[in-house]
Amino acid sequence: MNRIFSRPASHLRQLRRSFTSRRQHPHDPAAAAAAADEPNSLTILWHYQILDPNSDIVNLWNHIFLMSCLVSLFIDPLYFYLPYVEDGAACMNIDTSASILITYFRTVTDFFYFLHMLMKFRMAFVAPSSRVFGRGELVMDPRQITLRYLKSDFIVDLTATLPLPQIVIWYVIPATKTDGGGHSNNTLALIVLIQYIPRLFVIFPLNNRIIKTTGFIAKTAWAGAAYNLLLFMLASHVIGASWYLSSIGRQYSCWKLRCHEEIYTPPHCNVKFLDCSKIKPMGVERENWLNLTTVLARCDAKNGDSDFKFGIFAEAFTSEVASSTFVEKYVYCLWWGLRNLSSYGQTLSTSTFIGETVFCIVLCIFGLILFAQLIGNMQTYLSSMTLRLEEWRIKRRDTEEWMRHRQLPPDLQDRVRRFEQYRWLTTRGVKEEEILKSLPLDLRREIQRHLCLKLVRGVPFFAQMDDQLLDAICERLTSSLSTQGSYIVREGDPVDEMLFVIRGQLESSTTNGGRSGFYNSITLRPGDFCGEELLTWALLPSSSQNLPSSTRTVKTLTEVEAFALSAEELKFVAMQFKRLHSMKLQHAFRYYSNQWRTWGACFLQTGWRRYKKKKLAKELALHENLGPHGHHIGATILASKFASNTKRGIAQKLRVAQATSSSTFGLVKPDDPDFTEEV
């Protein structure tokens, strides 16, 4: 490693140029010759790779390593379940098959710790002197990174990475077989507990680093709650395993104490009798001792007359946990730890044994801290999922109280309830305007374009415009929701916004200012718009401050979702329209405008009636000029007088029709929007 760090920077630049030339010119002979001169350049260049602590690959590795740390913290306490009481043999033994399996998985997790140490040697860091402003400057020098790591976390990481339990099982325990099984168990437990502390010190900074980089551990509330529950279950797992090992140790201590009392008196107890792996060479001798000894009766937790107090550890033997299979005792101990950790050990009845009392004190304090921290966090995550729903429920309750206080009619109350329900189903309580206002202008424009551009292009009137004008419109559109039976605008009221329908149907009707006998109604569907009077007003060269009056009444037939352009925003967009010089846009406006359509329909009806009356007059005149043969002259004179009177009546009716057609039944011709550039 020092040899690599001692290479000069010029050599590193040369290697990078050689590597780049081979990527750009793979078939170049010169590049191939350079590659032949440096056969290990790719390997050396990889050694010089420095990782950004905020990069995606490092963030992904941190999450993977966090999961591996949790697995390793789960595996280590499994070593506590290896010793067990041989049923019927009154001795202790080690579960060899479980030991091999646990050691295998432990070795795999140790490999992740080793990789994490290697990555830290290549991990850049922020110089403390550059943290005054911004995120700081990254230090990319490998030598400085190494020195900083060696002075900070190297010892803790190395202690957490060393395969200490493997060393104990493969070397320490075989070397101490002469000392009895209890010594082996205590050594293994001590090593696991000692290494458990640095592994906890590794996981907490890693957790904080992930939060600092991404802002959270879990993306969803369910994942955050599950993560905190997992940590609580892990603590219960450790407590249960410690209780089981302490129970085994308590049983062995009783056997050893009573055995020392029988060393010099028959049946002459030997400590090796308590180790199941050593009883075969002592077959007859141990059988005689087993038949005569009082050690087993005096150390039986089921015996109420026993003078040895097991206290909280008696349950491991009264429930025959110590002689059960590995899975059975693990599940039972996990339940024991979870039960007592949740109740802070209040159900435990301890003896005067100091170790037992200390264990219960630690259990109580540990449970109180974990319950306040982990379960509190889990409750926060779960409550965050229903936070919006609770806010909406409180707002709905306040609305109900306000409506009752103001004594609103039942129909108005029902309309308010339906609107609140529809808005909740549409937005789920999210205030989109506040979210957009908190973003930068450029990002806000891109989001508005993504949300609105496709819908705006679906409006046939807007399909005639270029992207620049559509962007200006999308930037200024606001969401509008209306329930069934709501009036968007009434005839004669000032128009303050132009509405573009996205979903739903509306009824647009007019009575031409309340004129009797006149009524026109059409249905607006997705893609239609209303409030075109506001666009005509906004395009006038000298538009007044007074908003135009609506010529139609617009009412929702279903729930309607639309985009709205206010008068002020439309005024700005209208100034952009004037640069189009397009008659095509003016014709499109006339075609899609409901006001122009109504006026056009009335104009066509008047023209058709005028044509029918002129045709009738011509037919009557032609019939009068021909005159039927064989009629009396008096009859002819009377017919001519009748024809003249008919002509005068028809002429009068035509004059009335012409006067009516000039105003199309009194319907005023809409103003043309001025799409030409203002001089």
Side-chain angles (χ1 to χ4, degrees):
M1 188 69 68
N2 293 332
R3 179 180 62 84
I4 296 175
F5 287 158
S6 62
R7 289 180 177 267
S10 60
H11 182 69
L12 176 59
R13 289 193 294 269
Q14 182 181 358
L15 290 177
R16 288 176 177 172
R17 285 196 299 269
S18 175
F19 178 69
T20 305
S21 63
R22 274 177 286 157
R23 291 185 61 186
Q24 296 177 352
H25 308 285
H27 303 291
D28 189 1
D37 295 337
E38 291 288 346
N40 297 325
S41 59
L42 283 177
T43 305
I44 298 175
L45 187 61
W46 179 85
H47 282 294
Y48 276 94
Q49 181 68 37
I50 303 300
L51 300 174
D52 184 357
N54 296 321
S55 61
D56 293 337
I57 185 66
V58 174
N59 185 33
L60 177 61
W61 168 255
N62 288 337
H63 281 84
I64 295 175
F65 183 60
L66 177 62
M67 292 297 105
S68 66
C69 289
L70 293 177
V71 172
S72 66
L73 292 177
F74 172 81
I75 290 176
D76 285 354
L78 294 179
Y79 282 109
F80 294 173
Y81 294 104
L82 295 181
Y84 65 94
V85 176
E86 189 76 36
D87 191 14
C91 61
M92 291 193 178
N93 204 351
I94 298 295
D95 192 342
T96 307
S97 59
S99 175
I100 296 174
L101 188 61
I102 295 171
T103 304
Y104 171 76
F105 286 108
R106 165 65 191 248
T107 306
V108 174
T109 58
D110 290 344
F111 179 71
F112 282 91
Y113 281 92
F114 178 72
L115 290 180
H116 188 66
M117 288 186 62
L118 294 181
M119 289 190 65
K120 278 195 170 183
F121 277 110
R122 319 305 304 163
M123 191 82 66
F125 66 94
V126 179
S129 59
S130 63
R131 293 177 178 175
V132 180
F133 298 103
R135 301 178 63 180
E137 181 182 356
L138 286 177
V139 177
M140 308 293 289
D141 184 20
R143 185 179 297 275
Q144 295 185 27
I145 295 173
T146 303
L147 292 177
R148 179 179 180 272
Y149 179 49
L150 291 176
K151 293 178 181 179
S152 57
D153 301 332
F154 177 75
I155 299 299
V156 176
D157 292 345
L158 180 62
T159 308
T161 306
L162 290 176
L164 297 182
Q166 292 91 315
I167 296 175
V168 171
I169 291 177
W170 294 336
Y171 298 104
V172 176
I173 292 180
T176 58
K177 280 293 183 180
T178 56
D179 296 328
H183 178 74
S184 303
N185 300 336
N186 295 334
T187 304
L188 179 61
L190 180 63
I191 292 298
V192 171
L193 287 176
I194 289 176
Q195 198 174 23
Y196 211 78
I197 296 175
R199 293 204 167 191
L200 287 177
F201 277 105
V202 169
I203 196 173
F204 290 136
L206 179 64
N207 189 79
N208 295 332
R209 192 178 304 118
I210 294 176
I211 295 177
K212 184 178 180 180
T213 304
T214 61
F216 48 80
I217 288 291
K219 293 183 179 180
T220 62
W222 280 110
Y227 176 72
N228 284 274
L229 181 60
L230 177 64
L231 294 180
F232 191 80
M233 295 295 294
L234 179 62
S236 303
H237 165 63
V238 174
I239 293 295
S242 302
W243 170 77
Y244 175 79
L245 186 65
S246 300
S247 301
I248 294 294
R250 192 66 173 152
Q251 178 71 78
Y252 186 81
S253 298
C254 181
W255 282 352
K256 189 175 181 180
L257 178 64
R258 302 309 178 200
C259 184
H260 280 297
E261 295 177 358
E262 294 183 356
I263 290 180
Y264 303 107
T265 59
H268 303 291
C269 179
N270 190 347
V271 178
K272 294 182 180 180
F273 292 163
L274 306 177
D275 190 354
C276 295
S277 61
K278 299 177 182 179
I279 61 176
K280 288 185 178 180
M282 312 173 183
V284 178
E285 184 180 359
R286 189 181 186 279
E287 286 291 336
N288 295 332
W289 169 82
L290 188 62
N291 294 329
L292 300 175
T293 185
T294 60
V295 171
L296 302 181
R298 296 175 64 186
C299 293
D300 188 4
K302 300 178 182 179
N303 186 6
D305 299 332
S306 175
D307 55 350
F308 190 86
K309 303 300 181 183
F310 285 90
I312 63 173
F313 306 117
E315 188 176 354
F317 306 101
T318 56
S319 300
E320 299 182 354
V321 178
S323 58
S324 301
T325 62
F326 186 89
V327 176
E328 291 175 346
K329 61 186 176 184
Y330 166 72
V331 174
Y332 187 92
C333 294
L334 177 63
W335 170 82
W336 190 94
L338 182 62
R339 179 191 63 181
N340 291 283
L341 197 63
S342 303
S343 61
Y344 318 129
Q346 296 179 6
T347 59
L348 298 177
S349 298
T350 62
S351 63
T352 56
F353 177 56
I354 296 179
E356 180 184 353
T357 308
V358 172
F359 181 83
C360 293
I361 293 175
V362 173
L363 174 63
C364 182
I365 297 175
F366 198 49
L368 183 62
I369 295 175
L370 289 179
F371 199 85
Q373 179 68 23
L374 300 181
I375 303 302
N377 290 341
M378 187 172 66
Q379 184 180 4
T380 301
Y381 277 109
L382 294 177
S383 62
S384 65
M385 295 187 297
T386 59
L387 181 61
R388 296 288 184 187
L389 182 61
E390 184 65 18
E391 291 178 355
W392 175 72
R393 189 189 65 82
I394 294 175
K395 184 178 180 181
R396 186 173 182 178
R397 183 195 62 188
D398 295 341
T399 304
E400 292 287 343
E401 293 179 357
W402 174 79
M403 289 190 298
R404 286 195 298 268
H405 177 69
R406 295 300 179 181
Q407 298 182 359
L408 295 183
D411 57 337
L412 286 181
Q413 294 186 19
D414 185 62
R415 290 179 59 185
V416 171
R417 295 188 190 99
R418 284 192 286 113
F419 175 76
E420 292 293 337
Q421 181 73 17
Y422 179 61
R423 185 168 63 176
W424 166 257
L425 294 176
T426 305
T427 64
R428 290 294 177 181
V430 178
K431 299 178 181 178
E432 299 178 353
E433 295 79 7
E434 295 183 1
I435 296 177
L436 290 175
K437 287 180 180 179
S438 63
L439 298 176
L441 180 60
D442 181 65
L443 186 57
R444 194 188 314 162
R445 287 175 178 173
E446 292 295 329
I447 294 176
Q448 286 287 86
R449 179 182 177 89
H450 170 73
L451 294 176
C452 307
L453 184 60
K454 185 177 180 181
L455 297 172
V456 170
R457 286 187 185 275
V459 179
F461 174 61
F462 286 151
Q464 312 294 331
M465 303 178 186
D466 58 9
D467 291 340
Q468 183 181 3
L469 292 176
L470 292 178
D471 288 341
I473 293 173
C474 290
E475 185 180 349
R476 289 161 175 82
L477 288 176
T478 58
S479 178
S480 176
L481 301 175
S482 301
T483 56
Q484 181 180 0
S486 302
Y487 284 90
I488 305 298
V489 65
R490 298 177 186 268
E491 188 174 354
D493 292 346
V495 183
D496 58 353
E497 64 180 9
M498 194 173 180
L499 210 64
F500 303 93
V501 184
I502 301 174
R503 298 181 184 87
Q505 295 182 358
L506 302 93
E507 180 189 30
S508 178
S509 60
T510 180
T511 60
N512 193 19
R515 182 177 178 182
S516 59
F518 184 90
Y519 181 78
N520 173 261
S521 176
I522 58 175
T523 301
L524 302 181
R525 293 180 172 83
D528 295 332
F529 60 91
C530 61
E532 61 270 19
E533 301 91 349
L534 192 62
L535 179 59
T536 306
W537 166 83
L539 288 170
L540 292 176
S542 57
S543 57
S544 62
Q545 296 295 328
N546 297 327
L547 296 175
S549 299
S550 176
T551 59
R552 310 184 68 86
T553 298
V554 181
K555 181 181 179 181
T556 59
L557 299 177
T558 61
E559 284 80 8
V560 174
E561 186 175 353
F563 281 130
L565 264 178
S566 63
E568 294 78 9
E569 301 293 351
L570 189 58
K571 188 70 175 178
F572 174 82
V573 177
M575 298 302 295
Q576 305 296 319
F577 287 168
K578 291 189 177 184
R579 291 183 285 183
L580 290 177
H581 302 284
S582 175
M583 290 300 296
K584 184 178 180 181
L585 185 61
Q586 182 174 354
H587 294 159
F589 174 78
R590 287 185 178 182
Y591 180 77
Y592 293 108
S593 171
N594 297 320
Q595 190 179 4
W596 271 92
R597 286 182 176 183
T598 303
W599 181 88
C602 294
F603 186 84
L604 291 176
Q605 290 175 1
T606 303
W608 175 253
R609 292 191 183 101
R610 183 192 306 172
Y611 167 76
K612 292 292 290 182
K613 290 179 179 179
K614 284 184 178 180
K615 184 178 179 181
L616 178 61
K618 288 181 180 180
E619 290 178 354
L620 289 176
L622 181 62
H623 183 72
E624 292 170 358
N625 291 333
L626 290 177
H629 296 287
H631 279 193
H632 196 273
I633 296 178
T636 303
I637 295 173
L638 291 176
S640 61
K641 290 182 178 181
F642 176 76
S644 61
N645 292 333
T646 304
K647 285 182 180 181
R648 285 195 297 270
I650 292 175
Q652 185 178 0
K653 291 181 179 180
L654 287 176
R655 286 194 296 271
V656 173
Q658 290 176 358
T660 306
S661 64
S662 62
S663 61
T664 58
F665 295 103
L667 189 66
V668 180
K669 180 180 178 181
D671 296 328
D672 267 328
D674 184 10
F675 289 100
T676 59
E677 186 174 9
E678 185 176 2
V679 181

